[in-house]
Amino acid sequence: MNVGVLGAGQLGRMLALAGHGLGMRFSFFDPNPDSPVRDVGELTAADYSDSVALERFTEGLDVATYEFESIPVEAVEAVAKRVPVFPSVQALKVSQDRVLEKRCFQHMSIRTAPCRDVASRGDLDKAAHEIGLPAVLKTRRLGYDGKGQVVIRDENGLADAWEKLGGVPLILEQFIEFDRELSIIGARSRSGEIVFYPMVENEHREGILSRSVAPADVGETKVRAAREYVRRIMSSFDYVGVLALEMFESGEKLIANEIAPRVHNSGHWTIEGAETSQFENHVRAICGRELGGAGAVGHSVMLNVLGTVPDVARIEGIAGAHVHMYGKAPAPRRKLGHVTVTGHDAAEARDRAASVLRAMAPEGVPA
Ligand code: AMP
């Protein structure tokens, strides 16, 4: 099976590493020639608007997928004319636009933060008045890892937020005083079978994921509700592949924030911590195979390595620690790798993760 991947970051790399074990071969397409996939597949380095390069990329492929949601839809559509692409372009379109995404959730009776479209300064004032402050102003498109968003605490912050983000289509969301951030990952096969990984508790620093704890300690009712949300989203898109849903937990409520129609950072722990990793289940799904079990094997804590390369040898020496470096050049706040720490129970995984944190370089290390 020859699998094409649009995008060639660490997610592409881990998809290929999982697929190699199943005898699959990988080709990537990305404008950046210096990418983490160089030793796991062939890379076509060209712009997403280069139709000739895209056509060449599809030659010999059996199936294609994408590994991040900012890929221009036109590029995915061009590939889809020549080879089956999963997940569907429709799911990608929705995930690229926060307003479409929220409308979609609301249409499926999935709870979201109250929100409004904002196209002008007048809209912003009106939206702030209607949903109240504090609130978060976000760009509709191309926002990730906390980029393209500003928290507005009170009326004095409105002008400043407009100054920072005004000029592109925006959305204002009520600021949710959440207890925790949770995510759930599901995988759906071509025949419609769905498996769910356990829910995960996520901690973000400045909008970037820093730590995931799996399985999260969440009651059955909420697990059922989160699964039902994912089921609705997947069946409405006739979805194939892995999908992540990020949510805020506030009291008894689960409030959907966003979907990622791809493998997700909050699922990296599944490489060592689950019966089948999210990466393997994604490639199994898109290649028309049966899915593997998604149950947790013990407990895991995933720590992102951000900004600087740590002393890997020190971390490797800690029981239960599994280091994954992506071969990327260091840059402030950049995701350079992750460490998954496994344990037989939650306390053991947490204690081992604390040792890993002490061994990691100071920048980017969650306290
Ligand atoms: P996003 O880009 O929507 O995933 O947001 C990045 C992070 O910002 C989230 O993981 C939250 O920590 C925070 N955040 C986003 N939206 C809200 C909101 N409506 N209320 C409170 N915090 C938020």
Side-chain angles (χ1 to χ4, degrees):
M1 208 63 175
N2 290 323
V3 181
V5 183
L6 290 158
Q10 62 266 19
L11 301 178
R13 178 184 169 80
M14 290 185 272
L15 283 170
L17 291 172
H20 287 166
L22 305 174
M24 298 164 184
R25 291 157 58 91
F26 286 78
S27 305
F28 296 89
F29 191 104
D30 195 295
N32 180 6
D34 181 29
S35 93
V37 302
R38 54 196 162 265
D39 49 352
V40 297
E42 272 190 31
L43 173 65
T44 303
D47 197 85
Y48 287 119
S49 61
D50 184 340
S51 53
V52 177
L54 277 171
E55 192 175 324
R56 221 179 321 119
F57 163 72
T58 60
E59 278 164 21
L61 293 183
D62 298 301
V63 67
T65 188
Y66 44 86
E67 59 108 62
F68 85 124
E69 56 267 39
S70 301
I71 312 248
V73 163
E74 299 72 30
V76 183
E77 281 171 342
V79 171
K81 283 197 184 123
R82 302 179 167 272
V83 13
V85 174
F86 301 111
S88 66
V89 178
Q90 194 52 31
L92 179 71
K93 278 187 188 160
V94 167
S95 73
Q96 286 185 345
D97 181 336
R98 292 184 193 275
V99 169
L100 265 187
E101 193 176 38
K102 292 282 187 317
R103 280 195 199 128
C104 200
F105 288 155
Q106 288 160 359
H107 182 70
M108 295 175 197
S109 305
I110 295 173
R111 190 191 293 269
T112 69
C115 56
R116 297 283 185 280
D117 283 15
V118 171
S120 65
R121 178 63 215 267
D123 285 352
L124 177 59
D125 291 345
K126 186 161 173 272
H129 180 72
E130 283 173 8
I131 67 176
L133 297 174
V136 191
L137 186 63
K138 302 179 179 179
T139 55
R140 270 179 75 156
R141 303 175 63 84
L142 300 176
Y144 68 99
D145 284 348
K147 289 182 185 144
Q149 57 179 274
V150 178
V151 177
I152 305 173
R153 301 263 161 222
D154 53 36
E155 285 193 2
N156 298 326
L158 287 166
D160 191 40
W162 181 254
E163 177 82 10
K164 284 196 178 114
L165 298 182
V168 293
L170 301 167
I171 181 171
L172 188 75
E173 294 177 13
Q174 188 178 81
F175 185 89
I176 305 294
E177 300 285 356
F178 53 78
D179 304 321
R180 296 190 292 178
E181 293 192 72
L182 301 171
S183 61
I184 183 163
I185 291 178
R188 187 169 182 271
S189 70
R190 286 205 206 177
S191 62
E193 176 203 0
I194 299 179
V195 295
F196 290 104
Y197 289 93
M199 284 177 78
V200 175
E201 180 176 338
N202 300 310
E203 248 175 60
H204 292 81
R205 296 278 157 120
E206 297 169 31
I208 304 183
L209 183 67
S210 61
R211 180 192 336 233
S212 294
V213 175
D217 186 9
V218 179
E220 253 322 292
T221 312
K222 281 186 182 143
V223 173
R224 266 203 304 276
R227 288 182 174 192
E228 179 52 30
Y229 283 177
V230 171
R231 226 178 253 119
R232 280 179 211 166
I233 297 164
M234 284 181 151
S235 49
S236 98
F237 294 125
D238 195 14
Y239 197 88
V240 175
V242 159
L243 177 136
L245 172 66
E246 292 187 81
M247 291 159 290
F248 304 124
E249 179 187 44
S250 176
E252 289 313 305
K253 289 183 244 156
L254 279 183
I255 300 163
N257 180 33
E258 61 182 4
I259 52 164
R262 54 168 170 82
V263 285
H264 192 252
N265 198 168
S266 72
H268 288 5
W269 65 274
T270 60
I271 296 174
E272 291 86 10
E275 290 167 63
T276 314
S277 78
Q278 63 162 345
F279 302 100
E280 181 171 336
N281 264 336
H282 186 74
V283 291
R284 284 198 197 198
I286 64 170
C287 292
R289 302 206 184 169
E290 279 186 27
L291 302 176
V297 180
H299 290 251
S300 302
V301 176
M302 191 284 312
L303 303 165
N304 266 340
V305 175
L306 303 173
T308 49
V309 177
D311 181 348
V312 169
R314 272 185 74 194
I315 299 171
E316 280 168 352
I318 297 165
H322 308 270
V323 183
H324 300 256
M325 295 304 295
Y326 310 144
K328 288 160 73 174
R333 292 161 45 94
R334 195 170 194 204
K335 288 178 184 169
L336 303 179
H338 74 269
V339 182
T340 296
V341 192
T342 52
H344 294 104
D345 54 33
E348 186 175 54
R350 197 183 50 231
D351 291 348
R352 289 173 167 179
S355 305
V356 170
L357 284 173
R358 282 192 293 276
M360 279 163 89
E363 194 201 342
V365 173

